Amino acid sequence: MSASRTRKVLWSFTALGGAGVAASYFVAGAPRFWANWTVWFLYLFTLALGALFLVALEHLVSARWSVPLRRIPERVASLLLPLVAVGIVALGALPVLYPGAKPEAASDPVLAGKAFWLGVPFFSVRVLFCLALGLLPLWILIRGSLRQDRDRDPRFTIRARRFAPLCMAIFALLVTVAAFDWIGGLDPGWYSDVIGVYLFAGAFLAGLAATTLAVLSLKGQGRLQGIRFDHLYNLGGFLFGFTVFWAYIAFAQYMLMWYANLPEEVVWYQAHLGGLWLGVALLLALLHFFVPFFALVPRDAKGDMKRLRWVALVVLAAHWLDLYWLIFPALGQRPLFSWPELAFALFFVGGALLWLRGAMETGEDMPVGDPFLEEGLEFRL
Amino acid sequence: MSETFAVLGLFDSADALMEAIPKVRAKALGRVEAYTPYPVHGLDEALGLRRSPLGGMVLVMGVLGVLTALLFQWWMSAVDYPLVTGGKDPSSWQAFVPIMFEIMVLFATFTAGLGMLLLLNRLPHWGHPVLQSQAIRGITRDRFALAVEADGAFDPASARSALADAGALEIEVLPVPAAGPMFTASFIQRSLAGIAAACVVSGSLLYWAIKLMPVLPPMVHMENQPKLDPQESSTFFKDGHGMQLPVAGTVARGFLPFAMTTPEQSAGLVNPLPRTPAVLARGRAQYQVHCAVCHGVLGDGVPTLTAAYGAKPANLHTPAIRAYSDGTLYGTIVLGKNAMPSYAADMAVDDRWAVVHYVRALQRALNAKDEDVR
Amino acid sequence: MNPEASYPSGLPQTLRAPAMTVGTVTPGSLDDQVLRFPAQAPPRKWYLALAFTSLVACIGMGFIGYTFYTGIGAWGNNSPVFWAFDIINFVFWVGIGHAGTLISAILFVFRKRWRNAIARFAEAMTIFAVMCAGLFPLIHVGRPWLAFWLAPYPNQRGLWTNFRSPLLWDVFAVSTYFSVSLMFWYLGLLPDLASLRDRTAPGIRKTLYTILSLGWRGAASHWQHYEKAYLLLAGLATGLVLSVHSVVSFDFATSIVPGWHMTIFPPYFVVGAIFAGFAMVVMVLIVVRESMDLQNLITDFHLEVMNKVILGMSCLMGYAYVVEAFTAWYSMNPILHHTFLNYISGTYGWAGWLTMGCNVAIPQLLWFRHCRRSYFWMILVALGVTVGMWFERFVIIVVSLHQDYLPSAWHNYRPTLVDYGILLDSFGIFFSLVLLFARVLPVIATTELKAILPGAQPGHGAHHE
């Protein structure tokens, strides 16, 4: 398919999705509309942050093997720019889905003490602050990387390494606040301190999977010639390892709450594992852990392009399912999946792909100004 | 002259070795093996070695480990002796997961380690000719060896020249070791003796640890406990007795102190129990156990005791006793009267009141009026 | 291609490739430098050090024997502080073991070649630390001679162990960790033992090395399976690093004691373990480096990287403290609030401040390059971390237990002399074993280091990282 035809197809999907999104507000009801919007906002936000984490991690540990690949997650992370708008719209979900943001919270015995934290004003300030703060690493790391293409100045690499720890701190703050606010806030009486780490695991996996898919897609177009089995193997290895990490965190949280059986904690799991939601949870375990794990266990599979492509797709789908499972039970109904969800998928996937297609044309495909590009290209396992 | 096992060529760098390998393999003189002080990249492909099956073995054993752990835990916890602990269902899988993971790692590790050593590499093997060669000193230090091993018809001379052409710095011919077959009678004897000795030693240790040691002092299973047993003496009390009477004023449970001192004083007490067939049956049972021996089964003072007892139990149907109030009867049971001892310790409060009901029933039965029969 | 070639004016110093070995190191010189130690008599200071640590260990063993004879009442444990020094020490030592496995296994999986010089020593420390850790569950039961009851074997009591208890998961996790670490360490040692075998003149030592090296001869067909096994074991050990300390954290997190039931405990404990372990490795490695003149093999780069890991872990610990404190407030649970206030005020508030100071504040010194390269600052930070991590376990266990739900059950805790004695005993045992290891076996994995020297691999001039 030619580039312009693809663009036309994407635009039409996005427009169709957009119409469905608008219609669903009136037909399917506000709560469902906002649940979908929140899921997709968080999905793309965590995906972009995951890609940003990958870039910052490379600078932090001075990795060489990933230098040829680095431009891809940099471009994926640029999604944080349009996400500012999506996030501002998402604030509309607060009075609808978030009990802590409703006026009744001030008189609820459990919520009264933290009503100022959960209330719309401070919540919104936090969201806006996080959206803005996410742009800082974008400015320093990614803009600097693009500039290095032109001026070949190695001092950017030094600056990036110095900034990487701060970028990590920013990332930790953003992911933790997002988890506590958007996910924990749906049931403000419930609390779990590991949800920040849980969302981080999902975010990093989503960022990795998106990066992998983008790399494979560009290679299919004949670009990124220098990327070999050795580089893909490392990407696959990360996917494998962090699949295990996600499963570990998810199981640890579940098992601890199951074991202690405290009413204020178990109620969350009762909502998320009751009735048909149990099926969704099992599907999530299958797609997010068992399938990618066993698919990537063989050594060759970790670097195999075909295998990586569909595993990355499964991981991306699983991350959406994860957020769906985390957020939709707040609607108090059985799992809903029909045209509103599909419309949202079309709209946001189409929109993200459109943005990313544009992003894939920014700068060179590899950070040509990076002093370690050659060494990265020569990397052997 | 002993047979040649292999001809070894030594090189001093990995590059030299890698360059030599295709040259020597091309001559097809025998099986080609390399010996290096550390793993060299690309050596496997250069020698045409098949992929190691260890990965698949470990995966299979790992899965087996998970299933074994799950099965064992489930059987022990939910089937053989199900116990509810922590309010959790005995077959709760969530609690089994940590051990399933650990056993998976254990199985996989031992497969990887022992499978690699024993199965794939056939180690330990101390009799290999290379270990007896001059070259081994260099091989484990900084020399790289290429060996052409005898495989059917073998010409050591052409192997020597092939290695020399490939650039070997030194060449050594390894003879097949003179040792006889491995499984000699004495070897088997010694192995069996060793196994038997190991069994005896470990069995004894286990027996000692499990059976004997726990009962040796000071591990005496709490046999000598500093608590007071019945009939034991005690230095704590002045009279040296372990068993002491309760302190004055002690009241046993269910036996509250009775405020009155004579049965007449208790005349005002009211029977709290209702007059139901159940209560009457209870009263009858208690009466027959405690009262009938003296007052007779019918309450008429004809005892089932022999006359040798001496005292004359009261007839409960005399007008005087029939005039007693319920409370006075109760007080008589509790305090005793004349030769009758107190039955307070023998009958619970409710039992006493039930007996009072029964006595009243008896009295009415033996002094029935015509109306009762009609 | 050398990145420096693209920059004729020269790369800035900070971007130049770091030195993993200093000076010319060949496989032969490496063998001579490292493998001479098992063959020669140790210097007098080694004997003095061993005598001192053995003395401490023996005195401590006496305290343990006294505990066996008298009972746990000899310790300071009381109601409600049923767990104190025993579990603190157990968690502390298991944690220290994790750094060795991380260096040895996780860095191998990530192909960080610089780990080769320090992996052997770190793994040995893991094994010794796990041995010290395993001591505590054994001696803290009321009847240690019946400790085998913890194993699920068919018995005449007709009972099975309680698989729902995290303490039993601990038994399995720690014994698996010990077995796997031992296997991994031994397999790594095999080629080095073969080198020792071939360097030693015939005698008892050569026979011992011959037996232990199992006839290893460096055959390429063997290396193939060996490499595969090593990679698989490294991957499995990586899983263990996460799981073992998580299972240890389950001891606390599955309960409902306030301050213990926090879902972040599993990753938080793992980070803490790596943190404490790296500090211990840094301290011991400095001593080894100086006393055995290994500065050209254990270079400034190694120490600097380990310090960076310590710094990173310290920041993660800070994150965990902040998230825990926030969640405790967010829970609106007054008992949890009380417990968290107890961490920084009250009878043991000083321990809470000591913990945060040593774990979060002091390691921030490592942001400064000078501190990462100076022995004094490194050791100061590492000691601080060791103390801080021990006190962290103290704070978690004692502070949460001494005042929980029922005020009538509140009671303070005071350790006894026996408690201190047994703690020192564990240090004595650990350092004695470390000293013995340094004397008897090669402290650096010579085979692994040979494989990454310049010119070691065909076709490449530079070494990998």
Side-chain angles (χ1 to χ4, degrees):
Chain A
M1 220 194 284
S2 74
S4 64
R5 180 120 189 276
T6 320
R7 211 175 53 238
K8 284 208 189 74
V9 167
L10 280 177
W11 270 111
S12 47
F13 276 160
T14 311
L16 182 65
V21 163
S24 70
Y25 183 84
F26 301 100
V27 178
R32 190 161 169 189
F33 172 87
W34 286 119
N36 269 303
W37 193 278
T38 311
V39 166
W40 278 101
F41 162 63
L42 277 179
Y43 183 78
L44 292 173
F45 190 56
T46 50
L47 193 147
L49 280 179
L52 188 61
F53 180 80
L54 195 54
V55 175
L57 185 64
E58 181 198 299
H59 288 297
L60 186 73
V61 300
S62 317
R64 311 288 168 88
W65 70 269
S66 56
V67 172
L69 291 171
R70 197 182 73 227
R71 183 50 46 75
I72 314 300
E74 287 176 353
R75 289 165 171 169
V76 174
S78 68
L79 273 170
L80 285 172
L81 286 164
L83 277 172
V84 173
V86 176
I88 291 175
V89 174
L91 288 173
L94 265 53
V96 179
L97 289 178
Y98 289 84
K102 296 187 180 144
E104 302 89 70
S107 48
D108 182 293
V110 173
L111 303 180
K114 48 188 182 179
F116 78 93
W117 176 271
L118 299 169
V120 173
F122 195 18
F123 198 138
S124 316
V125 163
R126 284 200 301 279
V127 170
L128 294 171
F129 177 72
C130 286
L131 288 171
L133 193 59
L135 299 179
L136 181 66
L138 218 60
W139 180 265
I140 297 187
L141 286 180
I142 290 152
R143 195 158 167 277
S145 172
L146 289 170
R147 199 179 316 125
Q148 199 188 36
D149 278 358
R150 293 191 303 273
D151 60 25
R152 312 272 170 136
D153 189 352
R155 283 175 307 185
F156 163 71
T157 309
I158 302 174
R159 259 205 321 277
R161 286 180 187 182
R162 290 233 176 87
F163 178 69
L166 180 62
C167 181
M168 289 299 188
I170 292 175
F171 175 81
L173 181 72
L174 295 184
V175 168
T176 310
V177 170
F180 271 86
D181 281 347
W182 293 104
I183 298 176
L186 290 169
D187 190 348
W190 179 79
Y191 55 92
S192 164
D193 27 10
V194 85
I195 29 174
V197 182
Y198 180 79
L199 197 64
F200 154 68
F204 190 38
L205 269 177
L208 267 173
T211 303
T212 308
L213 268 183
V215 166
L216 291 171
S217 147
L218 286 180
K219 274 186 77 67
Q221 291 171 23
R223 294 151 79 171
L224 289 180
Q225 294 277 14
I227 308 292
R228 285 187 323 272
F229 175 87
D230 306 82
H231 300 99
L232 294 175
Y233 178 89
N234 275 5
L235 277 178
F238 264 111
L239 273 172
F240 178 71
F242 274 84
T243 299
V244 176
F245 181 72
W246 176 90
Y248 151 70
I249 298 288
F251 177 73
Q253 183 182 267
Y254 168 62
M255 192 274 288
L256 288 174
M257 296 199 165
W258 168 84
Y259 202 103
N261 216 11
L262 293 174
E264 61 262 28
E265 293 180 339
V266 169
V267 67
W268 190 89
Y269 274 102
Q270 280 178 331
H272 285 76
L273 297 176
L276 287 174
W277 286 107
L278 180 63
V280 178
L282 289 173
L283 182 64
L284 179 64
L286 185 74
L287 285 183
H288 214 305
F289 174 63
F290 288 101
V291 167
F293 180 84
F294 283 104
L296 289 178
V297 143
R299 184 182 181 273
D300 288 342
K302 290 191 184 72
D304 175 56
M305 299 212 293
K306 272 212 304 279
R307 180 74 61 104
L308 276 179
R309 175 169 280 134
W310 70 259
V311 168
L313 281 167
V314 166
V315 169
L316 285 173
H319 186 54
W320 179 87
L321 190 64
D322 192 5
L323 289 166
Y324 174 83
W325 178 75
L326 286 171
I327 292 177
F328 263 65
L331 293 176
Q333 302 180 41
R334 58 173 184 74
L336 303 164
F337 191 87
S338 79
W339 65 269
E341 283 69 40
L342 289 169
F344 270 85
L346 275 178
F347 177 62
F348 278 100
V349 172
L353 282 176
L354 278 171
W355 178 273
L356 287 174
R357 285 187 83 244
M360 291 298 154
E361 308 307 324
T362 8
E364 303 290 330
D365 279 343
M366 293 192 192
V368 291
D370 196 300
F372 300 103
L373 180 61
E374 291 294 333
E375 208 177 310
L377 285 168
E378 284 171 3
F379 166 75
R380 292 262 181 279
L381 283 173
Chain B
M1 163 143 146
S2 59
E3 241 182 78
T4 311
F5 174 78
V7 180
L8 224 60
L10 280 179
F11 301 80
D12 65 353
S13 77
D15 283 308
L17 178 72
M18 293 298 282
E19 277 165 32
I21 290 178
K23 292 184 196 157
V24 173
R25 281 189 79 199
K27 303 254 175 76
L29 293 165
R31 188 173 159 269
V32 177
E33 173 73 278
Y35 295 92
T36 55
Y38 52 81
V40 174
H41 293 175
L43 197 53
D44 300 344
E45 290 84 19
L47 287 173
L49 293 172
R50 266 208 322 269
R51 290 280 298 274
S52 173
L54 199 58
M57 287 161 61
V58 166
L59 181 65
V60 166
M61 287 302 283
V63 172
L64 196 69
V66 172
L67 295 174
T68 307
L70 177 63
L71 187 69
F72 268 71
Q73 287 180 88
W74 176 76
W75 182 75
M76 288 187 224
S77 306
V79 175
D80 191 52
Y81 194 153
L83 278 176
V84 174
T85 53
K88 307 288 191 288
D89 188 82
S91 60
S92 41
W93 63 271
Q94 294 89 338
F96 298 155
V97 170
I99 292 186
M100 280 159 64
F101 180 81
E102 303 299 338
I103 300 292
M104 182 269 288
V105 171
L106 199 65
F107 273 41
T109 300
F110 277 87
T111 308
L114 297 178
M116 180 271 289
L117 282 176
L118 300 172
L119 279 177
L120 295 173
N121 287 350
R122 280 180 279 273
L123 290 171
H125 178 44
W126 293 284
H128 197 270
V130 170
L131 293 173
Q132 266 72 262
S133 71
Q134 296 293 323
I136 191 68
R137 289 210 59 166
I139 289 173
T140 52
R141 184 182 158 91
D142 56 3
R143 289 277 175 271
F144 304 79
L146 195 58
V148 184
E149 291 175 5
D151 202 357
F154 184 66
D155 180 17
S158 44
R160 285 187 84 110
S161 57
L163 285 167
D165 290 338
L169 300 171
E170 289 163 39
I171 298 192
E172 191 180 334
V173 178
L174 296 179
V176 173
M182 192 159 129
F183 289 110
T184 59
S186 76
F187 173 80
I188 295 177
Q189 268 174 347
R190 279 182 286 134
S191 312
L192 285 175
I195 293 172
C199 288
V200 167
V201 168
S202 51
S204 314
L205 277 175
L206 265 176
Y207 183 78
W208 177 78
I210 292 178
K211 287 279 189 213
L212 283 179
M213 197 183 79
V215 296
L216 292 174
M219 289 83 65
V220 289
H221 276 297
M222 304 193 287
E223 274 166 17
N224 305 321
Q225 298 175 30
K227 73 172 193 237
L228 218 45
D229 287 321
Q231 317 287 351
E232 237 181 46
S233 64
S234 165
T235 54
F236 183 77
F237 295 105
K238 243 202 291 239
D239 58 6
H241 294 160
M243 296 168 74
Q244 301 280 329
L245 285 172
V247 174
T250 305
V251 177
R253 287 220 185 137
F255 294 88
L256 291 171
F258 197 60
M260 326 300 175
T261 47
T262 67
E264 288 69 27
Q265 280 185 350
S266 60
L269 292 176
V270 171
N271 193 335
L273 296 179
R275 209 178 346 183
T276 65
V279 170
L280 285 172
R282 185 177 177 186
R284 174 168 64 192
Q286 291 291 313
Y287 179 89
Q288 284 173 349
V289 168
H290 296 290
C291 317
V293 283
C294 292
H295 291 289
V297 177
L298 298 172
D300 50 6
V302 176
T304 55
L305 287 176
T306 65
Y309 182 55
K312 255 175 104 129
N315 178 2
L316 298 177
H317 304 290
T318 59
I321 294 183
R322 276 173 51 215
Y324 277 3
S325 69
D326 285 355
T328 314
L329 285 176
Y330 181 84
T332 314
I333 297 176
V334 173
L335 295 169
K337 191 170 178 165
N338 305 331
M340 172 174 155
S342 155
Y343 276 83
D346 299 318
M347 293 163 74
V349 172
D350 286 347
D351 288 334
R352 303 170 203 160
W353 285 114
V355 166
V356 169
H357 270 310
Y358 183 69
V359 166
R360 285 280 182 240
L362 274 182
Q363 287 173 340
R364 180 129 181 217
L366 267 62
N367 294 285
K369 301 189 185 47
D370 288 336
E371 305 86 69
D372 296 333
V373 180
R374 220 178 285 139
Chain C
M1 205 212 291
N2 195 335
E4 308 199 14
S6 358
Y7 289 85
S9 53
L11 270 181
Q13 174 62 38
T14 49
L15 292 180
R16 301 225 183 104
M20 281 203 291
T21 55
V22 175
T24 330
V25 180
T26 65
S29 74
L30 184 61
D31 269 2
D32 292 333
Q33 189 182 5
V34 176
L35 296 181
R36 68 184 153 98
F37 287 102
Q40 68 191 32
R44 192 146 63 120
K45 51 186 178 186
W46 183 87
Y47 283 108
L48 283 174
L50 185 64
F52 176 65
T53 56
S54 311
L55 183 67
V56 170
C58 286
I59 295 177
M61 290 291 192
F63 279 117
I64 292 180
Y66 176 69
T67 307
F68 276 21
Y69 192 78
T70 322
I72 303 293
W75 295 354
N77 297 25
N78 58 35
S79 167
V81 188
F82 297 102
W83 275 354
F85 270 48
D86 43 356
I87 299 299
I88 298 174
N89 295 339
F90 166 67
V91 178
F92 176 72
W93 282 111
V94 173
I96 290 202
H98 277 50
T101 317
L102 186 145
I103 292 175
S104 178
I106 298 186
L107 290 178
F108 181 82
V109 170
F110 280 109
R111 292 181 164 74
K112 294 288 182 195
R113 303 289 181 231
W114 55 263
R115 128 245 190 251
N116 287 8
I118 54 179
R120 182 59 31 71
F121 204 88
E123 276 169 60
M125 283 178 63
T126 294
I127 292 173
F128 304 145
V130 175
M131 284 165 69
C132 288
L135 186 66
F136 289 95
L138 279 178
I139 65 174
H140 94 313
V141 296
R143 292 179 289 177
W145 51 93
L146 295 176
F148 60 89
W149 281 1
L150 285 171
Y153 70 97
N155 55 65
Q156 77 272 34
R157 301 183 298 283
L159 285 177
W160 296 109
T161 50
N162 178 14
F163 286 102
R164 263 184 293 288
S165 165
L167 305 179
L168 193 72
W169 304 343
D170 256 346
V171 168
F172 277 81
V174 175
S175 23
T176 303
Y177 189 44
F178 182 69
S179 319
V180 172
S181 297
L182 199 62
M183 169 82 74
F184 191 45
W185 181 69
Y186 179 62
L187 283 185
L189 263 178
L190 261 184
D192 294 347
L193 287 169
S195 300
L196 275 171
R197 168 196 70 201
D198 296 327
R199 289 173 63 91
T200 316
I204 291 211
R205 286 182 58 242
K206 184 173 172 101
T207 313
L208 203 61
Y209 290 137
T210 309
I211 296 177
L212 285 175
S213 60
L214 304 182
W216 180 262
R217 52 190 192 265
S221 55
H222 289 191
W223 277 120
Q224 184 201 28
H225 299 302
Y226 176 92
E227 286 282 272
K228 187 82 195 189
Y230 201 79
L231 179 66
L232 287 167
L233 278 175
L236 288 165
T238 304
L240 274 188
V241 166
L242 275 185
S243 69
V244 169
H245 225 66
S246 300
V247 170
V248 169
S249 80
F250 288 159
D251 285 347
F252 307 102
T254 51
S255 76
I256 55 172
V257 174
W260 282 13
H261 186 65
M262 317 287 278
T263 46
I264 205 173
F265 263 32
Y268 162 56
F269 266 54
V270 173
V271 166
I274 297 168
F275 188 45
F278 264 78
M280 183 70 84
V281 169
V282 163
M283 283 195 290
V284 178
L285 223 45
I286 288 177
V287 171
V288 163
R289 187 188 189 221
E290 289 304 310
S291 58
M292 293 167 102
D293 277 325
L294 294 169
Q295 292 92 339
N296 62 330
L297 298 173
I298 303 175
T299 61
D300 289 338
F301 170 72
H302 290 104
L303 291 173
E304 175 150 0
V305 171
M306 285 197 282
N307 283 325
K308 284 186 184 169
V309 173
I310 292 178
L311 180 60
M313 294 295 135
S314 166
C315 296
L316 283 176
M317 292 296 281
Y319 167 83
Y321 290 152
V322 168
V323 170
E324 279 186 7
F326 172 76
T327 310
W329 168 78
Y330 185 85
S331 71
M332 294 287 127
N333 180 342
I335 298 172
L336 202 51
H337 288 181
H338 172 79
T339 303
F340 269 76
L341 285 173
N342 266 345
Y343 285 162
I344 51 173
S345 61
T347 327
Y348 303 104
W350 57 269
W353 286 109
L354 181 68
T355 300
M356 286 194 286
C358 288
N359 286 349
V360 184
I362 294 184
Q364 301 302 311
L365 283 171
L366 295 175
W367 284 109
F368 301 104
R369 198 139 194 270
H370 173 71
C371 293
R372 291 200 296 272
R373 302 221 158 203
S374 140
Y375 277 178
F376 172 75
W377 290 108
M378 265 194 264
I379 294 183
L380 183 79
V381 171
L383 267 176
V385 169
T386 308
V387 167
M389 282 311 294
W390 191 93
F391 270 97
E392 183 192 79
R393 274 52 174 267
F394 177 87
V395 163
I396 291 175
I397 294 176
V398 173
V399 173
S400 280
L401 281 178
H402 90 290
Q403 290 189 352
D404 63 3
Y405 293 101
L406 199 60
S408 61
W410 290 359
H411 199 284
N412 278 349
Y413 166 78
R414 288 203 76 171
T416 62
L417 181 67
V418 181
D419 281 317
Y420 290 119
I422 299 181
L423 171 61
L424 285 174
D425 169 51
S426 63
F427 278 96
I429 295 177
F430 178 75
F431 286 113
S432 303
L433 289 171
V434 165
L435 284 166
L436 286 169
F437 163 75
R439 160 87 181 89
V440 170
L441 290 169
V443 300
I444 292 188
T446 47
T447 308
E448 293 180 3
L449 198 49
K450 282 179 198 171
I452 61 164
L453 291 175
Q457 299 295 335
H460 298 259
H463 44 236
H464 306 266
E465 256 168 74

